[in-house]
Amino acid sequence: MSNTGPSGTRIAPSILSADFARLGEEVRNVVAAGADWIHFDVMDNHYVPNLTIGPLVCEAIRPHVQVPIDVHLMVEPVDALVPMFAKAGANVITFHPEASRHVDRTLALIRDHGCRAGLVFNPATPLDWMEHVMDKLDVVLLMSVNPGFGGQSFLPSALAKLRSARARIDAWQAAGGQPILLEVDGGVKIDNIGEIRAAGADTFVAGSAIFGQPDYAAVIRQMRERIAAAEAIRV
Ligand code: DX5
Ligand code: ZN
């Protein structure tokens, strides 16, 4: 179903930077170019100062691709949208813990609706939010920009935070815990994806780096090459 890259890494193009007037064609093209997931940014002009797309658009693109749709909820409150996105064909649903009154309950709600569940950490949000809900996490998503807009620059502070999240997840899994993906979102480019991989990320969101270029396949191929090179150095 999905063509994961080196060591089971995933590239998840963010459709925030796609041509919204041709969204079906855009998601088909980016999957044909090698995308593993489609990253779907939901903004509500309340939790973040921007407004994007909702469950109707998720439902509209669902028949166009077979890969998982990764819904990143930048909304407050969260819970009412979970069943709507599950029904619209989402496979992964992540949310910001500050935006939910009951984080544990929201994670359970997402899983109860058959989706993989995850928490999203803004640059200033401490990783401690994950501590008591490790057993309910399928994904940890670290923001390497402040959420709300595509095309921002990668914040270098995300690298140390990735290493810290990687250590927590590795310790959890070594103790018999379930697998948890470590995803990064914001400012990911061909030129920095290697060091982001080396810091521990396994799932890479990239919006403007992919949709801003004419040849999506060339960008994704170069990203995979940089990931593989970073892994070769680590061994
Ligand atoms: C930002 C979004 C990102 C964004 C990434 O709030 O969550 O997914 O689309 O865009 P780039 O890759 O351009 O930074
Ligand atoms: Zn996102």
Side-chain angles (χ1 to χ4, degrees):
M1 184 180 186
S2 79
N3 47 340
T4 50
S7 299
T9 53
R10 278 151 298 279
I11 294 185
S14 164
I15 58 171
L16 191 59
S17 293
D19 180 350
F20 276 17
R22 301 184 297 112
L23 212 42
E25 188 186 339
E26 287 275 68
V27 294
R28 287 198 306 275
N29 286 345
V30 85
V31 168
D36 301 297
W37 287 5
I38 294 294
H39 185 79
F40 191 103
D41 286 307
V42 183
M43 305 185 187
D44 67 348
N45 190 38
H46 175 69
Y47 182 69
V48 288
N50 201 352
L51 186 65
T52 59
I53 46 181
L56 286 174
V57 176
C58 185
E59 190 178 359
I61 65 166
R62 179 69 282 180
H64 290 264
V65 289
Q66 298 295 313
V67 301
I69 297 178
D70 171 32
V71 173
H72 173 191
L73 294 178
M74 288 161 274
V75 303
E76 183 179 3
V78 178
D79 290 6
L81 286 175
V82 168
M84 295 171 79
F85 272 105
K87 191 158 177 269
N91 303 93
V92 181
I93 300 179
T94 62
F95 65 97
H96 293 249
E98 310 92 328
S100 170
R101 287 281 176 91
H102 305 285
V103 170
D104 179 272
R105 178 185 287 156
T106 303
L107 288 167
L109 181 70
I110 293 169
R111 283 183 161 184
D112 285 350
H113 281 82
C115 297
R116 284 193 262 179
L119 289 182
V120 192
F121 295 82
N122 285 334
T125 304
L127 293 176
D128 292 353
W129 280 99
M130 74 170 79
E131 187 174 337
H132 301 291
V133 292
M134 290 296 281
D135 62 323
K136 292 195 173 72
L137 292 175
D138 300 299
V139 182
V140 165
L141 172 51
L142 297 197
M143 295 305 300
S144 38
V145 298
N146 286 291
F149 303 93
Q152 303 180 78
S153 296
F154 184 88
L155 293 169
S157 60
L159 293 172
K161 200 172 178 184
L162 276 169
R163 285 190 283 270
S164 174
R166 177 83 268 154
R168 287 182 189 231
I169 290 169
D170 287 350
W172 173 256
Q173 292 178 177
Q178 82 287 356
I180 301 172
L181 299 179
L182 181 52
E183 184 174 17
V184 63
D185 184 3
V188 176
K189 312 279 178 204
I190 293 167
D191 285 348
N192 61 13
I193 201 165
E195 62 178 338
I196 296 168
R197 172 60 183 151
D202 53 44
T203 303
F204 307 87
V205 176
S208 52
I210 295 174
F211 286 106
Q213 296 295 322
D215 187 345
Y216 304 162
V219 177
I220 292 172
R221 187 180 63 247
Q222 290 176 76
M223 286 180 160
R224 289 200 203 285
E225 286 168 5
R226 298 295 180 95
I227 290 168
E231 290 177 358
I233 290 166
R234 283 208 305 173
V235 172

